[in-house]
Amino acid sequence: MSQKIVIDPITRLEGHGKIDIFLNDQGDVEKAYFQVPELRGFEKFAEGRPAEDMPQITPRICGVCPMAHHMASTRALDDLYKVDPPASAKKIREMVYSAFMIEDHALHFYFLGGPDFVVGPTAPKAERNILGVLGKVGLEVGKKVIGMRKELRELIVLAAGKVIHPVFGLPGGVAKPLKKEDQEKFIEGADNAVEFAEFSLQVFNDIVLKNKEYVKAIVSDTYTHKTYYMGLVDKNNKVNFYSGDIRMVDPNGKEFAKFAPRDYLEHVAEHVEPWSYIKFPFLKKVGWKGFIEGADSGIFAVAPLARLNAADGLATPKAREACDQYFKTLGGRPVHHTLANHWARLIELLYAAERMQELANDPDIIDPQPRTIPVNIPQEGIGVVEAPRGTLFHHYKTDNRGVIKKANLIVATQNNAARIAMSVDKAAKGLIKKGKVNDGLLNMVEMAFRAYDPCHGCGTHSLPGQMPLILRIYDNHGVMKHEIRRE
Amino acid sequence: MWVETRFLEETWFLRPKLLRRYGQTRLAAGYYGTGIMKTLLLGLGNDLITDDGAGIVAVQELREELKGLVDVDIEESSMSGMALLELFLDYDRAIILDAVHTNRHPPGSILEWSPEDLDRIISPSPHYAGLPEMLAVASELQLNFPEEIKIFGLEVVDPYTIGEGLSEVVREAIPALKQKVIEQLEKWRNEVA
């Protein structure tokens, strides 16, 4: 008889998630699954609507990363109308996007991922929470985090409208120019953000890197997978969140492919599993070989760890230095340790702050005409950005009036889904032995999951657009024995 | 009742009457001094997922109906947990409207909670860090946070299907939900008075 342990819902996770762990007769893990019970169907919902509405509709898909959807959608409209926005518009967009990346990464490090490392993986459950983090880093730091996020959100509002409903991206540019006085506020906010990011890296250094046990956990085999990595890069192959080409590196860190976003379908396909609603993207040219790692398996990863692996470094000085230290400490590129995502996230936080600083100081940013009016007939548009949680694709096909005929969205967590599934399974197998299961071990299984900062709010898009709740029970051969469906 | 309250800002000439109605102290403190008691009215949910948008629909309507009230700010959000924290800063009171799906009450029922009713111990929640955790953080950091928070949950039929618009029974309950908000605002005003 196999036993079943369910961690449901996964604590501190964005959206809803579920992990099922099956034990065999010996009490060892037969298989662990992560499940996405949420089904949304936004792609169908989009059909028949004007493409121009998409930058307003898609941020409402999920409350977690509205700005990433707004930006991917806006870039898809640029491509749809074949219009090149003026330099100033691109800079305003990237500056605002950088502010969003900073506040989102800060939220994850301190509030969601922080309890794992800042408080400690084996600390009692009652302490592994935000209050535990505050206890460890001090109340002043807590106030600093909240103050920083508030300042960034206010800046985003100045340039882009509400944080949850941004309205500034239009095909060909942005809705309004940036005022001189607002530019000054962005400069000040960016300066504060750089300081905040450096401080956060120092916190990580002091609390995590100086603790041998934590470092041992990061580099342990339990949390390691050798996969391909994906990320957007600029023309110098440096990380870029807002635009560029998609670069893939193989498990040895060698460039495997580099392509324009509009060619993504030549490189990425999606695999369907009977036990999950999520479609698992994989590298078409390598193929789907199951949930296995290595160069022969098409599974790839996105998000901070993957972005640093997929690029040749970062374009800003302080972040570049932090990135060099990261690779040096973790044994060179690529880094395959899932938990290193937390460190990589903070390095990206610093990069985003420095990039925001560069752009805020750019004289172009207050150009009074930040838009090129589109004149071409729409047909097909693809927009790709790096969301905090990884590469995000928006792909629309329209009629010649710009009404959506077909929409395809591949969201970050979906791109990471196969590797997340492997991480959960491997951590469960590595940590749970002979039926010995306790709270600390279960947390360490969940840590494998949380490092990706997964969000399932918009991870699934299948029809029929209804979210049934289904409980499936598998025997110790992975065969589904029962299904309970809530209509 | 709301007709009276919405004139607070717009019609100076009504103030003597309102002073009698709400009490001199409250209005003097609230509208002529610096000690204005600010209330956040927050609608939570996603208006693209049918009934999940009930709280959003209610605050959107109230935004029109309470237009002109200087002491109430109306916000809507599809976020949850700690991501909402900044919204509450510097308010004295807050009202939260949300769709709930307990399956224990007939659809259209309005449920009321105060933070004391919610578990202040951090618990695993689908929203990873809910209101109790947020309040605990605010208290720990001594943030300027609402001293009073009232939560009104509207039991809904279907918060899962993609689409715009509410179920009929939920739609019909929106006026009652709005009335709860009006009554709560009144109650707070009278308490101070």
Side-chain angles (χ1 to χ4, degrees), chain A residues 81-98:
Chain A
Y81 289 96
K82 302 291 175 262
V83 58
D84 188 28
S88 55
K90 291 176 186 169
K91 287 172 185 171
I92 293 172
R93 287 179 185 177
E94 191 180 347
M95 179 180 72
V96 172
Y97 198 65
S98 299

Side-chain angles (χ1 to χ4, degrees), chain A residues 340-351:
Chain A
N341 261 303
H342 295 288
W343 190 358
R345 190 169 287 117
L346 289 178
I347 294 166
E348 287 194 340
L349 178 76
L350 179 55
Y351 164 70

Side-chain angles (χ1 to χ4, degrees), chain A residues 24-330:
Chain A
N24 62 19
D25 290 348
Q26 285 75 46
D28 294 338
V29 174
E30 190 70 37
K31 182 79 186 162
Y33 293 94
F34 92 104
Q35 305 265 356
V36 184
E38 211 160 330
L39 192 65
R40 292 198 146 182
F42 273 95
E43 290 159 343
K44 194 74 192 162
F45 181 77
E47 287 173 20
R49 292 170 187 273
E52 279 183 69
D53 288 355
M54 294 302 273
Q56 274 65 58
I57 291 174
T58 55
R60 288 151 70 195
I61 286 175
C62 158
V64 177
C65 48
M67 182 60 83
H69 280 293
H70 180 72
M71 200 57 81
S73 188
T74 302
R75 296 203 25 87
L77 291 191
D78 288 345
D79 189 43
L80 178 70
Y81 289 96
K82 302 291 175 262
V83 58
D84 188 28
S88 55
K90 291 176 186 169
K91 287 172 185 171
I92 293 172
R93 287 179 185 177
E94 191 180 347
M95 179 180 72
V96 172
Y97 198 65
S98 299
F100 158 70
M101 290 294 277
I102 300 165
E103 63 120 349
D104 198 284
H105 274 4
L107 178 75
H108 186 274
F109 175 69
Y110 285 100
F111 295 160
L112 282 92
D116 285 339
F117 275 120
V118 176
V119 181
T122 54
K125 191 171 184 172
E127 290 171 22
R128 278 197 321 269
N129 52 51
I130 302 167
L131 293 184
V133 175
L134 294 179
K136 196 90 178 257
V137 299
L139 298 183
E140 283 311 308
V141 176
K143 284 184 184 165
K144 211 168 174 167
V145 176
I146 287 159
M148 185 76 250
R149 278 178 45 85
K150 187 168 190 279
E151 183 177 3
L152 289 166
R153 289 163 77 96
E154 283 167 0
L155 287 173
I156 292 172
V157 170
L158 278 183
K162 295 212 163 182
V163 174
I164 56 160
H165 293 152
V167 291
F168 80 130
L170 299 171
V174 292
K176 60 171 188 178
L178 192 74
K179 293 181 201 151
K180 177 79 185 141
E181 61 263 34
D182 292 345
Q183 179 194 21
E184 280 156 17
K185 287 178 190 158
F186 268 92
I187 292 172
E188 194 187 333
D191 291 347
N192 292 338
V194 171
E195 193 195 322
F196 174 78
E198 288 183 288
F199 164 80
S200 299
L201 273 163
Q202 192 59 47
V203 168
F204 189 83
N205 191 57
D206 293 345
I207 294 177
V208 180
L209 297 180
K210 285 186 181 163
N211 184 322
K212 282 185 185 152
E213 285 303 306
Y214 292 179
V215 176
K216 214 170 113 189
I218 292 175
V219 299
S220 71
D221 182 60
T222 303
Y223 296 109
T224 299
H225 288 291
K226 293 176 176 156
T227 60
Y228 287 82
Y229 298 98
M230 174 191 272
L232 271 185
V233 293
D234 65 16
K235 57 183 185 309
N236 299 316
N237 285 341
K238 306 293 184 205
V239 170
N240 197 286
F241 299 139
Y242 165 75
S243 69
D245 283 340
I246 295 165
R247 191 174 191 230
M248 312 278 323
V249 297
D250 69 17
N252 296 313
K254 197 167 153 263
E255 181 176 297
F256 176 78
K258 190 176 167 186
F259 52 92
R262 71 169 60 91
D263 298 328
Y264 83 101
L265 284 175
E266 287 172 30
H267 297 270
V268 178
E270 293 175 291
H271 169 80
V272 177
E273 282 282 315
W275 52 270
S276 177
Y277 293 116
I278 218 160
K279 287 185 279 184
F280 297 91
F282 63 96
L283 276 173
K284 225 172 183 173
K285 289 177 181 165
V286 184
W288 178 264
K289 308 285 168 60
F291 290 92
I292 52 171
E293 55 187 276
D296 294 333
S297 166
I299 289 176
F300 63 88
V302 297
L305 172 87
R307 280 192 285 252
L308 296 192
N309 282 338
D312 287 341
L314 293 158
T316 59
K318 288 174 178 169
R320 190 184 305 134
E321 203 180 303
C323 189
D324 289 346
Q325 192 208 340
Y326 162 89
F327 281 113
K328 206 172 142 194
T329 309
L330 296 175

Side-chain angles (χ1 to χ4, degrees), chain A residues 319-383:
Chain A
R320 190 184 305 134
E321 203 180 303
C323 189
D324 289 346
Q325 192 208 340
Y326 162 89
F327 281 113
K328 206 172 142 194
T329 309
L330 296 175
R333 34 176 85 239
V335 168
H336 295 297
H337 311 304
T338 305
L339 297 181
N341 261 303
H342 295 288
W343 190 358
R345 190 169 287 117
L346 289 178
I347 294 166
E348 287 194 340
L349 178 76
L350 179 55
Y351 164 70
E354 286 187 289
R355 186 72 185 132
M356 180 181 164
Q357 200 175 39
E358 279 176 6
L359 292 162
N361 283 288
D362 192 311
D364 273 2
I365 208 98
I366 49 168
D367 174 3
Q369 295 292 343
R371 193 176 181 209
T372 306
I373 302 296
V375 290
N376 294 318
I377 293 171
Q379 194 175 4
E380 184 169 8
I382 296 171

